[in-house]
Amino acid sequence: MAIAKLFQILIVNGTLAHMRIWDIDPGYLARQQLLGEHRELHGMFNILDQGKKGYANHPETLRWVGCIEALKRRHELLVSEMLLRGYNHHSPLAEQLGEVVWPDIYIDPPAQQLRLLAGKYAADQRSGRIPLPVNSQQLWAQHKYSVMAHDPNLYKVIGPEVAHGRYRDDMEGLTSLLVETLRAPVDAGRLYNALQHMWGYVKGDIPPPQQPVVLLDAIRTAVVERRVEYLLHSTALSELALWV
């Protein structure tokens, strides 16, 4: 049976609730979802890398078959977010060695994942570091520095499209585009350019540190100390740590 068809059957029967690797940025995950995904990702890694049983035939596992290097990348994203929030981490995965190939299917499209989280958070007013966006403009503001680092040409295009173009009222399309854009690697020049823009937001005319890792750390410190909400709610604050 095709995996996509199997997804549809299991979703209807409600059997996918107990295992999930999210595709949206970990900054949106509340503590329970963030630590829960980290735990489940390790279980999935053991299945795919070491042949363990467990949920080997679960659709969430099946969609990551052949994508173990991307699974490691997702783990790095989770760990970066965990460390940013002050959680400890003592369970590294093996170093990435091969090509990073991402799954070509979602169990739920990225915009639906945001809606699922909204439903989970409503009862007890939970929240991630980044508030769930209510419109395309807020969604774009949360991702803009990450996009600047991953694809500066796309960055120039999306802004106008969110303001008065195709993505103004299309959160479905924009969310998927942003998820896919942030999967691309970041080169040193683009990374430093994005960090410089973030630095200008918190430090004005003070020259930035030259080493990206020092610059990002200084940005994080300033953002937290000054409670700069705009950057506290940016995916770049944790996501760009993978590339420094």
Side-chain angles (χ1 to χ4, degrees):
M1 181 183 297
I3 292 178
K5 183 64 175 178
L6 181 60
F7 284 174
Q8 295 172 5
I9 294 173
L10 291 178
I11 289 171
V12 169
N13 292 334
T15 56
L16 287 178
H18 301 297
M19 187 179 190
R20 177 185 294 276
I21 304 299
W22 300 89
D23 298 282
I24 56 178
D25 189 271
Y28 291 113
L29 304 181
R31 182 182 188 276
Q32 179 180 341
Q33 282 69 38
L34 179 63
L35 301 183
E37 181 183 348
H38 179 258
R39 180 179 62 253
E40 292 178 354
L41 190 150
H42 272 273
M44 183 183 296
F45 181 82
N46 290 336
I47 293 169
L48 297 176
D49 187 63
Q50 302 173 25
K52 299 290 181 67
K53 300 292 184 180
Y55 288 92
N57 293 318
H58 191 286
E60 185 66 85
T61 306
L62 293 176
R63 81 180 183 112
W64 287 90
V65 170
C67 301
I68 196 164
E69 299 302 321
L71 192 65
K72 294 178 186 177
R73 177 75 54 79
R74 178 67 187 182
H75 179 259
E76 290 184 4
L77 286 167
L78 293 172
V79 171
S80 181
E81 183 66 30
M82 288 166 62
L83 295 176
L84 181 62
R85 298 193 203 180
Y87 303 143
N88 294 321
H89 181 259
H90 304 292
S91 53
L93 295 182
E95 182 181 354
Q96 291 181 7
L97 297 175
E99 181 183 1
V100 176
V101 177
W102 291 89
D104 58 3
I105 191 170
Y106 299 115
I107 290 181
D108 295 294
Q112 175 63 11
Q113 294 180 31
L114 293 174
R115 290 191 289 269
L116 289 171
L117 286 179
K120 292 177 182 292
Y121 296 168
D124 53 10
Q125 297 183 328
R126 277 178 290 166
S127 176
R129 172 178 61 87
I130 305 174
L132 297 176
V134 298
N135 53 44
S136 294
Q137 291 70 38
Q138 186 180 13
L139 177 67
W140 169 236
Q142 293 165 346
H143 285 80
K144 63 185 298 184
Y145 289 116
S146 286
V147 174
M148 183 184 292
H150 286 266
D151 190 338
N153 291 325
L154 184 62
Y155 170 85
K156 297 174 183 177
V157 171
I158 293 182
E161 293 293 342
V162 169
H164 46 70
R166 62 177 295 189
Y167 292 120
R168 179 177 178 179
D169 299 307
D170 182 13
M171 279 192 65
E172 300 282 338
L174 181 61
T175 309
S176 294
L177 176 61
L178 293 172
V179 166
E180 292 165 9
T181 300
L182 268 58
R183 289 176 170 180
V186 176
D187 67 35
R190 293 175 176 180
L191 171 65
Y192 193 73
N193 177 61
L195 291 175
Q196 281 184 303
H197 278 78
M198 295 171 69
W199 176 261
Y201 198 89
V202 295
K203 286 292 188 178
D205 296 330
I206 300 175
Q210 295 301 305
Q211 294 77 23
V213 64
V214 177
L215 178 52
L216 179 58
D217 185 62
I219 291 169
R220 284 175 160 182
T221 299
V223 167
V224 172
E225 288 179 350
R226 301 181 185 186
R227 302 300 299 173
V228 183
E229 187 173 280
Y230 183 66
L231 290 182
L232 277 173
H233 296 166
S234 173
T235 58
L237 206 61
S238 66
E239 184 263 332
L240 293 185
L242 273 63
W243 308 102
V244 297

